[in-house]
Amino acid sequence: ALIELDSINTAGEGKPCTDGLPNNPSPCDKTKKLICCQSGKTCAEKDMPNSGANFCCHAGDTVQPFQPVCSGGPGPDPSPSPSPSPSPSPSPSPDPSPAPSPTPAGDWTSGSGLGQCGDLCYRVSNTCQFDSYAGPTYACQAYLKGQVGAGKLQSFCGQDHNKIAFGHKLGSMQCGECALIRVKNDAGSPTDFQEVCMMAVDVGSGEVSDQTLLTGPDALCKYNAACRSATRVDYEWRTVDCTSCAPP
């Protein structure tokens, strides 16, 4: 590189210099391997006598006359670049604690005292014909006769009539929503539970039809002697999709 001179009388590269003899107090900086060279000459390996037109350059540089700059030489030894500090390896992040498993929708909820309505109410045979049904008035009657409710009712009633039911809303159920209900069977029964899928059509303390609870071929109390005696039973329920909720 060409280092242009400025007017500052220093002993750095390309600066005016002396040979360091007495009465010439500004020698070149030897720590940078600079030599006091004559203008218009190629720098030798040692300082030249001061002629009033000397400049600090490196051995082998040529000092340009009338425009004193150093050129053509090897230049100063480059200062060794500091070794880059190794980047610290990031500490491994601890594995996050596993999130708790979400509670699945429709977990079983305990209920007590499920009873029967009696007579014709909530029977599948007539409630599935609700558009022409003239029996008891249900709280959800307007919904069941509306376009959405009627379509949902028709789809629900397309399932096995021995496995579906109608009755009171449970918990926060809305009209036309469904719940799977199960009752514990006595020991020695073919299965642990009797199950049925019920659509909510009314409000009350918890009732289904007599056929669903006691008299039907797959009644909830078919294998529960205490229920058949008391005509009420403790049970469990969970919300389900009405479309295909009938148990096998």
Side-chain angles (χ1 to χ4, degrees):
L2 301 182
I3 310 298
E4 295 189 4
L5 304 183
D6 58 25
S7 60
I8 301 174
N9 183 23
T10 66
E13 183 178 4
K15 306 299 181 180
C17 65
T18 71
D19 56 8
L21 297 176
N23 302 318
N24 296 318
S26 299
C28 295
D29 187 352
K30 297 304 181 184
T31 64
K32 298 181 180 178
K33 298 184 179 180
L34 294 173
I35 299 169
C36 192
C37 307
Q38 287 182 307
S39 178
K41 304 288 185 181
T42 299
C43 288
E45 298 290 335
K46 62 180 181 179
D47 291 328
M48 300 300 294
N50 183 18
S51 65
N54 291 2
F55 302 93
C56 291
C57 292
H58 292 91
D61 280 352
T62 299
V63 183
Q64 304 292 337
F66 309 111
Q67 185 183 1
V69 294
C70 304
S71 66
D77 292 341
S79 300
S81 300
S83 300
S85 300
S87 300
S89 300
S91 300
S93 301
D95 293 336
S97 300
S101 299
T103 302
D107 272 357
W108 291 107
T109 300
S110 297
S112 61
L114 182 69
Q116 60 174 332
C117 177
D119 198 18
L120 300 178
C121 67
Y122 309 144
R123 286 189 177 180
V124 174
S125 57
N126 55 21
T127 309
C128 278
Q129 305 298 324
F130 207 73
D131 56 343
S132 58
Y133 174 59
T137 300
Y138 302 152
C140 298
Q141 187 163 316
Y143 172 81
L144 294 173
K145 289 188 174 183
Q147 183 175 2
V148 174
K152 192 170 186 178
L153 179 66
Q154 182 179 12
S155 174
F156 178 72
C157 289
Q159 302 175 81
D160 184 348
H161 281 201
N162 291 323
K163 301 291 187 176
I164 61 173
F166 297 96
H168 293 169
K169 298 178 181 179
L170 302 176
S172 59
M173 290 175 66
Q174 303 298 312
C175 289
E177 292 184 341
C178 292
L180 187 65
I181 299 174
R182 71 181 184 182
V183 170
K184 181 70 174 176
N185 290 335
D186 293 338
S189 300
T191 58
D192 290 334
F193 295 93
Q194 287 294 98
E195 294 181 333
V196 71
C197 184
M198 182 206 72
M199 176 179 281
V201 296
D202 208 352
V203 295
S205 59
E207 290 182 346
V208 291
S209 74
D210 56 346
Q211 292 177 335
T212 296
L213 189 69
L214 296 167
T215 64
D218 289 299
L220 288 171
C221 295
K222 181 176 181 178
Y223 300 110
N224 188 305
C227 171
R228 292 196 304 273
S229 173
T231 67
R232 285 192 174 274
V233 69
D234 292 341
Y235 63 101
E236 292 179 308
W237 66 277
R238 64 180 181 185
T239 55
V240 292
D241 181 359
C242 296
T243 305
S244 57
C245 60

Tab-separated table of all heavy atoms in Angstrom, residues 174-219:
chain	number	residue	atom	x	y	z
A	174	GLN	N	-77.821	-29.255	26.266
A	174	GLN	CA	-78.831	-28.444	25.596
A	174	GLN	C	-79.795	-29.362	24.848
A	174	GLN	O	-79.533	-30.554	24.665
A	174	GLN	CB	-78.166	-27.472	24.615
A	174	GLN	CG	-77.146	-26.547	25.248
A	174	GLN	CD	-77.758	-25.637	26.304
A	174	GLN	OE1	-78.807	-25.015	26.069
A	174	GLN	NE2	-77.139	-25.574	27.466
A	175	CYS	N	-80.900	-28.804	24.424
A	175	CYS	CA	-81.874	-29.580	23.661
A	175	CYS	C	-81.206	-30.233	22.453
A	175	CYS	O	-80.453	-29.578	21.715
A	175	CYS	CB	-83.014	-28.682	23.189
A	175	CYS	SG	-84.120	-28.124	24.498
A	176	GLY	N	-81.490	-31.518	22.247
A	176	GLY	CA	-80.958	-32.220	21.087
A	176	GLY	C	-79.553	-32.739	21.246
A	176	GLY	O	-79.026	-33.377	20.330
A	177	GLU	N	-78.893	-32.490	22.391
A	177	GLU	CA	-77.572	-33.059	22.632
A	177	GLU	C	-77.717	-34.462	23.222
A	177	GLU	O	-78.767	-34.820	23.760
A	177	GLU	CB	-76.756	-32.158	23.558
A	177	GLU	CG	-76.383	-30.844	22.899
A	177	GLU	CD	-75.484	-29.983	23.761
A	177	GLU	OE1	-75.413	-30.206	24.985
A	177	GLU	OE2	-74.868	-29.057	23.202
A	178	CYS	N	-76.647	-35.249	23.123
A	178	CYS	CA	-76.735	-36.648	23.518
A	178	CYS	C	-75.713	-37.009	24.587
A	178	CYS	O	-74.649	-36.395	24.690
A	178	CYS	CB	-76.532	-37.547	22.295
A	178	CYS	SG	-77.877	-37.439	21.096
A	179	ALA	N	-76.063	-38.024	25.364
A	179	ALA	CA	-75.170	-38.552	26.395
A	179	ALA	C	-75.225	-40.075	26.365
A	179	ALA	O	-76.283	-40.666	26.169
A	179	ALA	CB	-75.590	-38.035	27.766
A	180	LEU	N	-74.072	-40.687	26.553
A	180	LEU	CA	-74.006	-42.132	26.735
A	180	LEU	C	-74.188	-42.399	28.221
A	180	LEU	O	-73.446	-41.856	29.051
A	180	LEU	CB	-72.665	-42.667	26.245
A	180	LEU	CG	-72.520	-44.199	26.211
A	180	LEU	CD1	-73.484	-44.801	25.189
A	180	LEU	CD2	-71.079	-44.589	25.883
A	181	ILE	N	-75.180	-43.209	28.584
A	181	ILE	CA	-75.480	-43.528	29.983
A	181	ILE	C	-75.138	-44.990	30.226
A	181	ILE	O	-75.444	-45.856	29.398
A	181	ILE	CB	-76.968	-43.282	30.291
A	181	ILE	CG1	-77.323	-41.801	30.068
A	181	ILE	CG2	-77.307	-43.688	31.722
A	181	ILE	CD1	-78.816	-41.505	30.224
A	182	ARG	N	-74.486	-45.253	31.366
A	182	ARG	CA	-74.217	-46.649	31.694
A	182	ARG	C	-74.565	-46.934	33.152
A	182	ARG	O	-74.439	-46.065	34.026
A	182	ARG	CB	-72.760	-47.009	31.418
A	182	ARG	CG	-71.734	-46.408	32.366
A	182	ARG	CD	-70.327	-46.833	31.962
A	182	ARG	NE	-69.309	-46.355	32.895
A	182	ARG	CZ	-68.002	-46.561	32.743
A	182	ARG	NH1	-67.561	-47.216	31.670
A	182	ARG	NH2	-67.136	-46.119	33.636
A	183	VAL	N	-75.018	-48.168	33.399
A	183	VAL	CA	-75.392	-48.637	34.732
A	183	VAL	C	-74.590	-49.901	35.025
A	183	VAL	O	-74.465	-50.787	34.162
A	183	VAL	CB	-76.913	-48.924	34.799
A	183	VAL	CG1	-77.270	-49.653	36.100
A	183	VAL	CG2	-77.696	-47.624	34.685
A	184	LYS	N	-74.061	-49.987	36.237
A	184	LYS	CA	-73.236	-51.140	36.634
A	184	LYS	C	-74.104	-52.384	36.770
A	184	LYS	O	-75.153	-52.373	37.419
A	184	LYS	CB	-72.551	-50.829	37.964
A	184	LYS	CG	-71.633	-51.922	38.485
A	184	LYS	CD	-70.394	-52.057	37.639
A	184	LYS	CE	-69.418	-53.050	38.268
A	184	LYS	NZ	-68.226	-53.272	37.400
A	185	ASN	N	-73.662	-53.450	36.145
A	185	ASN	CA	-74.368	-54.731	36.262
A	185	ASN	C	-73.929	-55.489	37.513
A	185	ASN	O	-72.832	-55.271	38.045
A	185	ASN	CB	-74.094	-55.607	35.031
A	185	ASN	CG	-74.758	-55.061	33.779
A	185	ASN	OD1	-75.749	-54.352	33.857
A	185	ASN	ND2	-74.202	-55.409	32.621
A	186	ASP	N	-74.790	-56.385	37.955
A	186	ASP	CA	-74.439	-57.248	39.078
A	186	ASP	C	-73.324	-58.209	38.671
A	186	ASP	O	-73.114	-58.507	37.484
A	186	ASP	CB	-75.666	-58.052	39.535
A	186	ASP	CG	-76.749	-57.175	40.137
A	186	ASP	OD1	-76.419	-56.052	40.594
A	186	ASP	OD2	-77.924	-57.593	40.150
A	187	ALA	N	-72.602	-58.718	39.682
A	187	ALA	CA	-71.533	-59.691	39.428
A	187	ALA	C	-72.091	-60.918	38.717
A	187	ALA	O	-73.209	-61.364	39.003
A	187	ALA	CB	-70.883	-60.093	40.745
A	188	GLY	N	-71.327	-61.425	37.791
A	188	GLY	CA	-71.746	-62.597	37.041
A	188	GLY	C	-72.555	-62.288	35.803
A	188	GLY	O	-72.960	-63.212	35.078
A	189	SER	N	-72.789	-61.010	35.532
A	189	SER	CA	-73.545	-60.624	34.341
A	189	SER	C	-72.671	-60.771	33.095
A	189	SER	O	-71.430	-60.799	33.183
A	189	SER	CB	-74.019	-59.173	34.472
A	189	SER	OG	-74.845	-59.021	35.612
A	190	PRO	N	-73.288	-60.839	31.920
A	190	PRO	CA	-72.495	-61.002	30.684
A	190	PRO	C	-71.513	-59.857	30.434
A	190	PRO	O	-70.463	-60.053	29.807
A	190	PRO	CB	-73.562	-61.068	29.586
A	190	PRO	CG	-74.817	-61.472	30.290
A	190	PRO	CD	-74.733	-60.887	31.657
A	191	THR	N	-71.868	-58.654	30.879
A	191	THR	CA	-71.000	-57.483	30.689
A	191	THR	C	-70.935	-56.702	31.998
A	191	THR	O	-71.748	-56.895	32.901
A	191	THR	CB	-71.532	-56.559	29.575
A	191	THR	OG1	-72.865	-56.134	29.918
A	191	THR	CG2	-71.561	-57.267	28.229
A	192	ASP	N	-69.990	-55.797	32.087
A	192	ASP	CA	-69.860	-54.982	33.306
A	192	ASP	C	-70.932	-53.914	33.404
A	192	ASP	O	-71.317	-53.507	34.505
A	192	ASP	CB	-68.482	-54.317	33.344
A	192	ASP	CG	-67.361	-55.318	33.577
A	192	ASP	OD1	-67.633	-56.377	34.172
A	192	ASP	OD2	-66.223	-55.035	33.142
A	193	PHE	N	-71.389	-53.408	32.247
A	193	PHE	CA	-72.343	-52.302	32.242
A	193	PHE	C	-73.422	-52.538	31.188
A	193	PHE	O	-73.201	-53.216	30.187
A	193	PHE	CB	-71.637	-50.977	31.909
A	193	PHE	CG	-70.627	-50.528	32.924
A	193	PHE	CD1	-69.280	-50.862	32.780
A	193	PHE	CD2	-71.009	-49.759	34.016
A	193	PHE	CE1	-68.346	-50.440	33.705
A	193	PHE	CE2	-70.075	-49.333	34.944
A	193	PHE	CZ	-68.735	-49.673	34.799
A	194	GLN	N	-74.586	-51.954	31.426
A	194	GLN	CA	-75.604	-51.758	30.403
A	194	GLN	C	-75.510	-50.307	29.963
A	194	GLN	O	-75.414	-49.401	30.804
A	194	GLN	CB	-77.004	-52.041	30.953
A	194	GLN	CG	-77.310	-53.513	31.195
A	194	GLN	CD	-77.360	-54.306	29.898
A	194	GLN	OE1	-76.374	-54.955	29.531
A	194	GLN	NE2	-78.482	-54.254	29.206
A	195	GLU	N	-75.540	-50.061	28.651
A	195	GLU	CA	-75.370	-48.710	28.124
A	195	GLU	C	-76.494	-48.361	27.157
A	195	GLU	O	-77.054	-49.241	26.482
A	195	GLU	CB	-74.023	-48.581	27.396
A	195	GLU	CG	-72.818	-48.728	28.299
A	195	GLU	CD	-71.508	-48.557	27.540
A	195	GLU	OE1	-71.488	-48.828	26.322
A	195	GLU	OE2	-70.521	-48.149	28.157
A	196	VAL	N	-76.763	-47.061	27.054
A	196	VAL	CA	-77.719	-46.553	26.082
A	196	VAL	C	-77.329	-45.115	25.741
A	196	VAL	O	-76.737	-44.414	26.566
A	196	VAL	CB	-79.169	-46.604	26.635
A	196	VAL	CG1	-79.381	-45.559	27.737
A	196	VAL	CG2	-80.195	-46.419	25.527
A	197	CYS	N	-77.629	-44.696	24.523
A	197	CYS	CA	-77.375	-43.307	24.121
A	197	CYS	C	-78.680	-42.537	24.181
A	197	CYS	O	-79.658	-42.894	23.519
A	197	CYS	CB	-76.792	-43.243	22.713
A	197	CYS	SG	-76.354	-41.555	22.214
A	198	MET	N	-78.704	-41.476	24.982
A	198	MET	CA	-79.930	-40.710	25.201
A	198	MET	C	-79.821	-39.302	24.614
A	198	MET	O	-78.803	-38.626	24.806
A	198	MET	CB	-80.212	-40.596	26.703
A	198	MET	CG	-81.497	-39.854	27.039
A	198	MET	SD	-81.464	-39.094	28.688
A	198	MET	CE	-80.324	-37.733	28.438
A	199	MET	N	-80.880	-38.877	23.923
A	199	MET	CA	-80.973	-37.494	23.448
A	199	MET	C	-81.816	-36.695	24.443
A	199	MET	O	-82.890	-37.144	24.868
A	199	MET	CB	-81.609	-37.422	22.057
A	199	MET	CG	-81.826	-35.990	21.561
A	199	MET	SD	-82.567	-35.873	19.902
A	199	MET	CE	-81.124	-36.187	18.882
A	200	ALA	N	-81.337	-35.508	24.784
A	200	ALA	CA	-82.053	-34.646	25.728
A	200	ALA	C	-83.235	-33.965	25.032
A	200	ALA	O	-83.048	-33.253	24.040
A	200	ALA	CB	-81.111	-33.603	26.296
A	201	VAL	N	-84.462	-34.212	25.566
A	201	VAL	CA	-85.670	-33.610	24.978
A	201	VAL	C	-86.494	-32.865	26.012
A	201	VAL	O	-87.516	-32.252	25.679
A	201	VAL	CB	-86.540	-34.683	24.298
A	201	VAL	CG1	-85.799	-35.316	23.133
A	201	VAL	CG2	-86.994	-35.753	25.293
A	202	ASP	N	-86.079	-32.915	27.291
A	202	ASP	CA	-86.896	-32.320	28.343
A	202	ASP	C	-85.983	-31.936	29.508
A	202	ASP	O	-84.783	-32.227	29.516
A	202	ASP	CB	-87.967	-33.321	28.801
A	202	ASP	CG	-89.223	-32.639	29.343
A	202	ASP	OD1	-89.203	-31.406	29.508
A	202	ASP	OD2	-90.218	-33.358	29.578
A	203	VAL	N	-86.550	-31.273	30.490
A	203	VAL	CA	-85.813	-30.917	31.702
A	203	VAL	C	-86.469	-31.595	32.895
A	203	VAL	O	-87.667	-31.887	32.888
A	203	VAL	CB	-85.786	-29.388	31.905
A	203	VAL	CG1	-85.000	-28.717	30.793
A	203	VAL	CG2	-87.191	-28.815	31.971
A	204	GLY	N	-85.674	-31.866	33.923
A	204	GLY	CA	-86.206	-32.516	35.111
A	204	GLY	C	-85.101	-33.071	35.968
A	204	GLY	O	-83.929	-32.693	35.840
A	205	SER	N	-85.440	-34.012	36.842
A	205	SER	CA	-84.506	-34.542	37.834
A	205	SER	C	-83.703	-35.725	37.332
A	205	SER	O	-82.842	-36.234	38.036
A	205	SER	CB	-85.284	-34.970	39.088
A	205	SER	OG	-86.251	-35.953	38.745
A	206	GLY	N	-83.952	-36.168	36.106
A	206	GLY	CA	-83.213	-37.290	35.543
A	206	GLY	C	-84.112	-38.472	35.295
A	206	GLY	O	-84.253	-39.353	36.150
A	207	GLU	N	-84.743	-38.516	34.121
A	207	GLU	CA	-85.648	-39.614	33.792
A	207	GLU	C	-85.474	-40.028	32.336
A	207	GLU	O	-85.145	-39.211	31.472
A	207	GLU	CB	-87.109	-39.214	34.025
A	207	GLU	CG	-87.482	-39.064	35.485
A	207	GLU	CD	-88.947	-38.713	35.678
A	207	GLU	OE1	-89.601	-38.325	34.678
A	207	GLU	OE2	-89.446	-38.811	36.815
A	208	VAL	N	-85.738	-41.309	32.101
A	208	VAL	CA	-85.837	-41.869	30.755
A	208	VAL	C	-87.161	-42.631	30.696
A	208	VAL	O	-87.931	-42.640	31.651
A	208	VAL	CB	-84.641	-42.806	30.465
A	208	VAL	CG1	-83.347	-42.010	30.338
A	208	VAL	CG2	-84.501	-43.881	31.537
A	209	SER	N	-87.415	-43.274	29.590
A	209	SER	CA	-88.680	-44.023	29.500
A	209	SER	C	-88.612	-45.304	30.325
A	209	SER	O	-87.531	-45.774	30.692
A	209	SER	CB	-88.976	-44.371	28.037
A	209	SER	OG	-88.114	-45.422	27.614
A	210	ASP	N	-89.794	-45.871	30.627
A	210	ASP	CA	-89.836	-47.141	31.359
A	210	ASP	C	-89.145	-48.248	30.567
A	210	ASP	O	-88.478	-49.117	31.136
A	210	ASP	CB	-91.282	-47.521	31.680
A	210	ASP	CG	-92.166	-47.605	30.431
A	210	ASP	OD1	-91.741	-47.115	29.357
A	210	ASP	OD2	-93.284	-48.147	30.526
A	211	GLN	N	-89.274	-48.218	29.250
A	211	GLN	CA	-88.629	-49.241	28.427
A	211	GLN	C	-87.102	-49.134	28.513
A	211	GLN	O	-86.398	-50.136	28.590
A	211	GLN	CB	-89.083	-49.112	26.975
A	211	GLN	CG	-90.559	-49.467	26.756
A	211	GLN	CD	-90.994	-49.245	25.314
A	211	GLN	OE1	-90.396	-48.432	24.594
A	211	GLN	NE2	-92.036	-49.950	24.894
A	212	THR	N	-86.596	-47.883	28.500
A	212	THR	CA	-85.148	-47.691	28.566
A	212	THR	C	-84.589	-48.153	29.905
A	212	THR	O	-83.528	-48.776	29.959
A	212	THR	CB	-84.800	-46.207	28.339
A	212	THR	OG1	-85.196	-45.826	27.026
A	212	THR	CG2	-83.309	-45.950	28.502
A	213	LEU	N	-85.323	-47.881	30.989
A	213	LEU	CA	-84.799	-48.217	32.313
A	213	LEU	C	-85.062	-49.667	32.713
A	213	LEU	O	-84.168	-50.327	33.254
A	213	LEU	CB	-85.411	-47.286	33.363
A	213	LEU	CG	-84.790	-47.374	34.766
A	213	LEU	CD1	-83.379	-46.807	34.750
A	213	LEU	CD2	-85.644	-46.620	35.792
A	214	LEU	N	-86.300	-50.169	32.436
A	214	LEU	CA	-86.694	-51.432	33.058
A	214	LEU	C	-87.198	-52.516	32.116
A	214	LEU	O	-86.877	-53.696	32.285
A	214	LEU	CB	-87.783	-51.164	34.118
A	214	LEU	CG	-87.359	-50.318	35.320
A	214	LEU	CD1	-88.580	-49.878	36.100
A	214	LEU	CD2	-86.415	-51.115	36.208
A	215	THR	N	-88.012	-52.169	31.157
A	215	THR	CA	-88.771	-53.211	30.462
A	215	THR	C	-88.268	-53.579	29.071
A	215	THR	O	-88.704	-54.580	28.505
A	215	THR	CB	-90.249	-52.784	30.341
A	215	THR	OG1	-90.326	-51.609	29.522
A	215	THR	CG2	-90.835	-52.483	31.718
A	216	GLY	N	-87.410	-52.772	28.491
A	216	GLY	CA	-86.931	-53.050	27.141
A	216	GLY	C	-85.953	-54.219	27.109
A	216	GLY	O	-85.384	-54.611	28.133
A	217	PRO	N	-85.717	-54.768	25.941
A	217	PRO	CA	-84.816	-55.924	25.819
A	217	PRO	C	-83.378	-55.628	26.225
A	217	PRO	O	-82.636	-56.538	26.612
A	217	PRO	CB	-84.924	-56.303	24.345
A	217	PRO	CG	-85.441	-55.090	23.654
A	217	PRO	CD	-86.310	-54.389	24.643
A	218	ASP	N	-82.957	-54.374	26.128
A	218	ASP	CA	-81.612	-53.985	26.565
A	218	ASP	C	-81.697	-52.905	27.645
A	218	ASP	O	-80.878	-51.980	27.685
A	218	ASP	CB	-80.794	-53.476	25.378
A	218	ASP	CG	-80.419	-54.586	24.420
A	218	ASP	OD1	-79.718	-55.522	24.854
A	218	ASP	OD2	-80.828	-54.531	23.244
A	219	ALA	N	-82.674	-53.012	28.532
A	219	ALA	CA	-82.890	-51.999	29.566
A	219	ALA	C	-81.649	-51.807	30.437
A	219	ALA	O	-80.869	-52.747	30.663
A	219	ALA	CB	-84.082	-52.398	30.439
